[in-house]
């Protein structure tokens, strides 16, 4: 319902990533899958989640006499295991173990390098063939039989920078060391509590806004998006304020809003 109310196209959803099996992170899934079926979805859906979710999905469907109109490609995350778990032509996703009350993974979404764009004038000037263009767009230089060399860097526009988004929830604040996680364009980090409940945060394996900001600093993230707020707080601007004292580019995530990955 919320997805439809926001005018987001459900067909665009190709994969669903579930960090861990606490109810607030997956109880809604079965309703969503049912709605996909009611709308006649046929496109395969990938679900990346802890392995216990798979039997739960199919048991729930069975006892409610429901079925899906599409195939599910289930990919299980392994406790404490890190590695690439999903890949398309445009991006790769790496699962990164974090520390919560139960097994939990954060996800790093990294764009693949964009194919280079060839200057139009260069196509005519060098009478480039299709295979030559494919090669040059990949950054590979062309050596013709007549001895002529065409350098990719001479005929292509500079490569667009790739973008990285790191989703990190639910977890205690961690000093992650994996180099790939540094310098991300956008870090989403949970901040269930403010510093007024720092002990409760530790006890429940969650983070405060300030701790999330410390993680953003440690990872040299360009921007921080805070989320997963405890229902006890009514004024979300307090989260932003607390985080901004340590990391200026902090923002709270409001349901239904869109946030750009690049600054
Ligand atoms: Zn949790």
């Amino acid at each position: 319902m919320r997805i439809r109310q926001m005018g987001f196209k459900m067909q665009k959803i190709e994969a669903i990533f579930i960090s861990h099996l606490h109810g607030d992170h997956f109880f809604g899934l079965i309703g969503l899958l049912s709605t996909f079926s009611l709308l006649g979805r046929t496109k395969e859906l990938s679900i990346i989640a802890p392995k216990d979710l798979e039997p739960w999905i199919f048991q729930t469907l069975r006892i409610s006499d429901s079925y899906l109109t599409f195939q599910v490609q289930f990919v299980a995350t392994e406790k404490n295991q890190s590695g690439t778990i999903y890949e398309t032509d445009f991006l790769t996703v790496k699962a990164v173990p974090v520390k919560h009350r139960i097994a939990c993974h954060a996800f790093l979404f990294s764009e693949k390098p964009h194919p280079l764009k060839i200057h139009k004038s260069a196509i005519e000037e060098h009478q480039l063939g299709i295979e030559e263009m494919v090669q040059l767009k990949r950054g590979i230089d062309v050596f013709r039989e007549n001895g002529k060399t065409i350098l990719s860097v001479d005929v292509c526009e500079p490569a667009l920078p790739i973008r990285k988004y790191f989703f990190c929830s639910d977890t205690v604040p961690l000093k992650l060391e994996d180099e790939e996680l540094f310098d991300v364009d956008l870090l989403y980090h949970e901040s269930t509590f403010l510093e007024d409940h720092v002990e409760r945060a530790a006890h429940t394996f969650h983070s405060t806004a300030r701790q999330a900001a410390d993680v953003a600093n440690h990872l040299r993230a360009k921007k921080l998006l805070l989320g997963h707020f405890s229902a006890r707080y009514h004024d979300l601007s307090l989260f932003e304020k607390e985080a901004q004292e340590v990391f200026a580019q902090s923002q709270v995530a409001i349901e239904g809003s869109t946030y750009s990955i690049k600054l």
Side-chain angles (χ1 to χ4, degrees):
M1 280 178 64
R2 299 293 283 148
I3 289 173
R4 295 189 99 180
Q5 280 166 4
M6 286 159 197
F8 189 77
K9 293 210 170 50
M10 290 210 206
Q11 283 294 336
K12 282 195 168 179
I13 299 175
E14 290 174 15
I16 296 176
F17 295 80
I18 308 272
S19 58
H20 67 298
L21 298 184
H22 277 151
D24 54 329
H25 292 258
F26 80 101
F27 282 171
L29 180 65
I30 209 81
L32 180 63
L33 298 182
S34 278
T35 302
F36 282 165
S37 280
L38 286 172
L39 295 173
R41 179 185 180 112
T42 52
K43 190 161 76 174
E44 184 179 272
L45 178 77
S46 295
I47 298 179
I48 296 88
K51 67 172 185 324
D52 288 346
L53 188 72
E54 191 177 19
W56 178 84
I57 293 173
F58 293 101
Q59 278 273 41
T60 310
L61 289 170
R62 192 179 57 76
I63 60 181
S64 59
D65 195 22
S66 311
Y67 68 95
L68 300 179
T69 55
F70 54 92
Q71 291 289 319
V72 170
Q73 175 73 37
F74 194 90
V75 184
T77 50
E78 296 287 340
K79 194 177 175 185
N80 298 327
Q81 297 273 311
S82 166
T84 299
I85 197 131
Y86 181 78
E87 191 166 3
T88 71
D89 291 345
F90 309 103
L91 60 83
T92 54
V93 184
K94 183 175 187 176
V96 180
V98 288
K99 201 171 167 201
H100 195 40
R101 293 203 301 288
I102 54 174
C104 184
H105 283 85
F107 297 107
L108 173 70
F109 298 80
S110 309
E111 217 170 10
K112 288 186 176 174
H114 303 276
L116 300 170
K117 276 192 184 148
I118 300 180
H119 292 294
K120 272 194 187 137
S121 56
I123 300 175
E124 272 184 36
E125 187 191 327
H126 299 285
Q127 294 288 305
L128 294 173
I130 293 191
E131 287 198 359
E132 288 178 331
M133 286 201 274
V134 170
Q135 202 172 323
L136 292 163
K137 280 182 186 182
R138 290 191 185 134
I140 305 165
D141 302 328
V142 164
F143 302 99
R144 286 183 172 160
E145 281 178 10
N146 63 6
K148 190 178 169 185
T149 302
I150 303 163
L151 299 177
S152 172
V153 67
D154 288 343
V155 296
C156 294
E157 290 175 23
L160 290 171
I162 56 160
R163 292 169 292 180
K164 280 190 179 185
Y165 168 52
F166 186 32
F167 171 92
C168 203
S169 180
D170 298 356
T171 183
V172 297
L174 293 171
K175 273 220 168 350
L176 295 160
E177 297 298 339
D178 181 348
E179 269 182 33
E180 278 188 73
L181 306 173
F182 283 75
D183 303 301
V184 293
D185 296 287
L186 178 64
L187 166 69
Y188 170 95
H189 200 285
E190 75 127 287
S191 63
T192 309
F193 298 101
L194 292 171
E195 281 289 303
D196 62 346
H197 281 99
V198 67
E199 280 170 21
R200 182 152 182 78
H203 187 65
T204 54
F205 289 81
H206 283 298
S207 305
T208 67
R210 195 211 147 95
Q211 290 170 337
D214 286 337
V215 174
N217 267 327
H218 168 71
L219 293 178
R220 301 189 302 262
K222 300 199 177 77
K223 210 162 64 165
L224 170 66
L225 197 56
L226 301 165
H228 199 272
F229 313 113
S230 158
R232 76 185 64 216
Y233 299 105
H234 299 291
D235 182 4
L236 296 186
S237 70
L238 296 174
F239 285 84
E240 214 162 74
K241 210 168 147 243
E242 186 176 289
Q244 281 172 352
E245 282 171 17
V246 201
F247 186 79
Q249 293 292 339
S250 304
Q251 216 181 344
V252 288
I254 308 290
E255 188 179 300
S257 301
T258 307
Y259 300 89
S260 125
I261 288 175
K262 276 299 224 197
L263 275 177

